[in-house]
Amino acid sequence: MDTQTRELCDKIYYLAKKKLSFLEICKRLELKDYEVIGIITLMHQEGYNIEFVNGEVVVLKTPRKAQDVYQLPNNLEHLKLLLISDTHLASKYDRLDILKYLYAKADDLGVQHILHSGDFTDGRSNRAEQVYELREPSYEGQVDYCVEKYPHSDAKTYVIQGNHDNWWYKSTGSEIVKAIAKQREDIVYLGPDVADIKIGSLKIRLFHGSGGGAYAKSYKLQKYLDTIPLAERPDILQTGHIHQSFYMKQDKTHCFQTSCLEDLTPYCRGMGLANDKSCW
Ligand SMILES: [Fe+2]
């Protein structure tokens, strides 16, 4: 998208958020109705949370889920998975070197499915000093950084958005991981916060989570599992957000709290938050 179109999209988004009617938006921007509808369609494809519904421009409060359950292809007898999370790309503390090592290792082992439980990017916080922790402070900069630098692999990476990715959604209405995945055939975006996957008969749930540090590293995972009715529980529950690794099995569910792949940031050091770098 060129700069001029991006500016137009931002203007439409701003006016729609101010709850101006469709006709008022056309008038303000001196555009024909079909031109505005065309731009809204483009915005929706680019990941803005905006739609043209019943003759009006609607800003969606949460991103729309494309599917409830994603059925992934699998023709393997023995399924190998790589579980990663919280890569916080475009942060000065990201560890692309570890990520590249893991992807090379996954290729060597014939892994075809890599699951990522969110915070793909470091996003842009409303905490002013976060900008000093970023390699790329802009939306476009973070998209380009990820598209260019994310390791290429024979495997496909299936990813949800985490709270850091969702900051872009809150400030600009854009789903940044959707925009990245659009430019990378090996990355599949499964929506924000939570997604259910089926690989053959294996049921997997990816969940990111939100809020501050946990009372104990297992606490949020245990509480979250309790919210899923027994009959609906997955075989594997993969969670992110806590930046600490933890495994437990309860009933039939193997729970993998997946830590991060970034170094401890000054912010987290100041807050006294733990930060393990690892994968499953
Ligand atoms: Fe994170």
Side-chain angles (χ1 to χ4, degrees), residues 18 58 62 78 145 151 176 221 227 237 256 272:
K18 290 261 168 208
V58 178
T62 53
H78 182 77
Y145 180 86
I176 189 166
L221 175 58
T227 68
L237 171 63
F256 295 92

Side-chain angles (χ1 to χ4, degrees), residues 86 88 119 163-164 208 241 243:
D86 295 77
H88 289 264
D119 280 359
N163 56 313
H164 277 245
H208 187 76
H241 188 58
H243 290 209

Side-chain angles (χ1 to χ4, degrees), residues 127-242:
R127 177 172 60 85
E129 63 275 22
Q130 188 231 10
V131 78
Y132 300 117
E133 297 176 1
L134 291 173
R135 296 178 198 275
E136 295 288 347
S138 73
Y139 177 81
E140 287 88 352
Q142 293 198 4
V143 171
D144 290 348
Y145 180 86
C146 294
V147 169
E148 281 163 27
K149 299 202 186 297
Y150 200 82
H152 288 267
S153 163
D154 298 336
K156 272 206 190 320
T157 300
Y158 300 90
V159 55
I160 55 170
Q161 285 207 152
N163 56 313
H164 277 245
D165 307 305
N166 287 338
W167 286 338
W168 286 118
Y169 189 77
K170 284 182 179 154
S171 59
T172 69
S174 298
E175 291 176 80
I176 189 166
V177 181
K178 187 179 193 180
I180 294 162
K182 230 180 125 189
Q183 295 185 63
R184 285 284 302 260
E185 279 192 351
D186 52 348
I187 299 174
V188 182
Y189 176 52
L190 304 180
D193 310 318
V194 58
D196 287 319
I197 300 170
K198 270 187 105 179
I199 306 176
S201 59
L202 184 76
K203 229 171 110 181
I204 302 171
R205 175 170 290 186
L206 301 185
F207 176 72
H208 187 76
S210 59
Y215 151 79
K217 70 176 172 183
S218 64
Y219 184 73
K220 285 197 172 184
L221 175 58
Q222 287 175 299
K223 292 302 279 181
Y224 178 68
L225 187 67
D226 286 346
T227 68
I228 311 172
L230 205 55
E232 291 170 26
R233 288 196 187 166
D235 304 300
I236 290 176
L237 171 63
Q238 178 188 346
T239 63
H241 188 58
I242 306 294

Side-chain angles (χ1 to χ4, degrees), residues 54-65:
N54 294 332
E56 284 304 336
V57 189
V58 178
V59 174
L60 304 168
K61 290 224 164 45
T62 53
R64 207 159 44 104
K65 278 275 179 196

Side-chain angles (χ1 to χ4, degrees), residues 10-21 24-25 28 50 57 59:
D10 289 343
K11 275 183 194 163
I12 291 178
Y13 187 73
Y14 173 77
L15 296 174
K17 246 186 147 178
K18 290 261 168 208
K19 297 207 175 350
L20 264 70
S21 73
E24 282 169 326
I25 292 174
R28 280 275 184 105
I50 199 165
V57 189
V59 174

